[in-house]
Amino acid sequence: MENLTNINVIKDIFSRHGFTFSKALGQNFIINPSVCPKIAEMGNAREGFGIIEIGTGVGVLTNELAKRADKVVAVEIDERLLPILNETLSEYENVTVINADVMKTDLKAVIDEHFSGLEAAVCANLPYYITSPIIMYLLESRLPVKSITVMVQKEAGVRLCAKPGSRECGAVTAAVNYYAEPKLLFNVSRGSFMPAPNVDSCVIRLDIRETPPVEVSDEKFFFKVVRGAFSQRRKNLANSLSSSMGMNKQIVIEAIRAAGLSENIRPEQLTLQQFADVAEKLSKEE
Ligand code: SAM
């Protein structure tokens, strides 16, 4: 296959197929030749693995995944890319492209159908308009995957990989840490894409945990508390929780104190265990 990181090759493909970028679909394609091999290698694309890719673009990462893994299933929402992929992936027999919205795709069924006898992992350069929802969808559906390796906007990567209890922490940090061990792998400059976005990016890997690091009796309620805690960023935990959960402030303060914390504590200061403790106390007040 021709070099899919070469701008002239891409321009030629686009003009032959009459393709133009869709900003709404977050189409920024990788043109830096060193990035995709690294994502594939660090993302478990190797013998014995089936890889799910989300958003193929012209298939630049798909190619690197298909070279290394036993099987690749790529989910791409934009049907205009299908004839292009027919061309750019023609030499691989181990790739299946599904034309669908990943958020409406039963990925567990995909794994069962396509990856029999293989371990599974996810690799993607995610569309930025929908990064967190996709990551949460993958985690909450408890996909049987070893890792999720994704390119995201740099600030999103910092937040996703922040340590719970640190300043950069948000609701998504706590959720990610509950399901996985996140690692920031490497940074990617905005010039590595066509068209170049306004921000830099980074690649992170979430290594899926076999069991969560904290015990919670009601997961749904635990995540309701976490989301509620961060719903009003500038408020302290007591104010945030009482307004987002519609609970009496004094009751919330008592639950926070009963968890051994100061009533003025801010949500970003809590560890996962402390969130679990507060949720446990609050669940008794519901
Ligand atoms: N993997 C390619 C690359 O690195 O050059 C393309 C990455 S581009 C940032 C994101 C891709 O995701 C685009 O091809 C876009 O059409 C696709 N996409 C956007 N929203 C999607 C969705 N909800 N489900 C599946 N694919 C989606």
Side-chain angles (χ1 to χ4, degrees):
M1 181 61 225
E2 282 185 290
N3 180 358
L4 291 177
T5 56
N6 180 314
I7 296 180
N8 291 328
V9 170
I10 302 175
K11 281 188 176 158
D12 172 59
I13 293 175
F14 285 0
S15 84
R16 280 190 291 106
H17 290 272
F19 182 86
T20 48
F21 290 104
S22 158
K23 213 173 167 186
L25 290 177
Q27 291 180 340
N28 301 95
F29 297 166
I30 297 172
I31 50 164
N32 177 337
S34 70
V35 173
C36 292
K38 265 163 84 179
I39 295 178
E41 267 152 36
M42 297 170 109
N44 281 314
R46 54 188 156 98
E47 221 184 295
F49 271 81
I51 305 290
I52 293 179
E53 186 192 7
I54 298 159
T56 58
V58 288
V60 61
L61 175 59
T62 327
N63 261 268
E64 299 299 332
L65 299 171
K67 272 185 216 166
R68 294 169 173 82
D70 286 355
K71 176 87 203 180
V72 177
V73 175
V75 183
E76 170 56 60
I77 198 170
D78 187 349
E79 67 177 346
R80 298 173 308 149
L81 287 166
L82 299 189
I84 293 179
L85 293 166
N86 254 336
E87 188 180 320
T88 59
L89 299 173
S90 61
E91 71 189 76
Y92 298 104
E93 282 174 6
N94 60 344
V95 180
T96 302
V97 177
I98 298 176
N99 179 210
D101 178 345
V102 70
M103 299 296 287
K104 296 183 182 147
T105 305
D106 181 349
L107 295 173
K108 198 156 178 302
V110 167
I111 290 175
D112 288 344
E113 186 184 340
H114 295 273
F115 297 166
S116 159
L118 300 174
E119 281 202 78
V122 174
C123 288
N125 170 16
L126 288 180
Y128 292 165
Y129 75 99
I130 195 178
T131 301
S132 289
I134 291 180
I135 291 178
M136 290 317 299
Y137 177 62
L138 299 175
L139 292 172
E140 283 171 359
S141 57
R142 291 193 186 263
L143 272 193
V145 293
K146 187 174 173 67
S147 59
I148 297 171
T149 305
V150 283
M151 172 113 69
V152 297
Q153 281 191 7
K154 207 162 167 188
E155 301 90 89
V158 167
R159 186 167 293 247
L160 287 160
C161 294
K163 217 166 143 4
S166 68
R167 210 160 47 92
E168 297 81 13
C169 187
V172 74
T173 319
V176 161
N177 276 275
Y178 183 79
Y179 292 110
E181 278 182 77
K183 282 190 193 71
L184 209 157
L185 297 180
F186 59 94
N187 293 325
V188 179
S189 70
R190 61 194 77 184
S192 299
F193 301 88
M194 185 168 96
N198 296 328
V199 289
D200 293 321
S201 297
C202 66
V203 175
I204 64 168
R205 190 179 66 221
L206 311 178
D207 291 319
I208 304 302
R209 298 180 191 274
E210 277 177 20
T211 47
V214 294
E215 221 176 285
V216 296
S217 46
D218 181 347
E219 255 180 26
K220 230 170 129 195
F221 186 73
F222 169 71
F223 284 115
K224 193 172 162 195
V225 169
V226 171
R227 270 195 303 273
F230 286 102
S231 62
Q232 280 140 325
R233 229 12 227 174
R234 262 165 267 119
K235 290 192 177 171
N236 67 22
L237 182 67
N239 285 329
S240 252
L241 280 180
S242 62
S243 72
S244 63
M245 309 219 7
M247 288 177 105
N248 177 293
K249 189 172 164 194
Q250 204 44 45
I251 289 179
V252 174
I253 288 178
E254 273 156 29
I256 292 172
R257 283 207 196 115
L261 302 168
S262 147
E263 66 175 79
N264 296 320
I265 196 161
R266 308 186 70 79
E268 63 272 20
Q269 293 175 300
L270 268 71
T271 64
L272 220 50
Q273 185 59 59
Q274 289 167 335
F275 268 119
D277 292 344
V278 172
E280 219 55 40
K281 307 282 180 216
L282 277 179
S283 69
K284 299 200 172 81
E285 303 294 341
E286 255 226 318

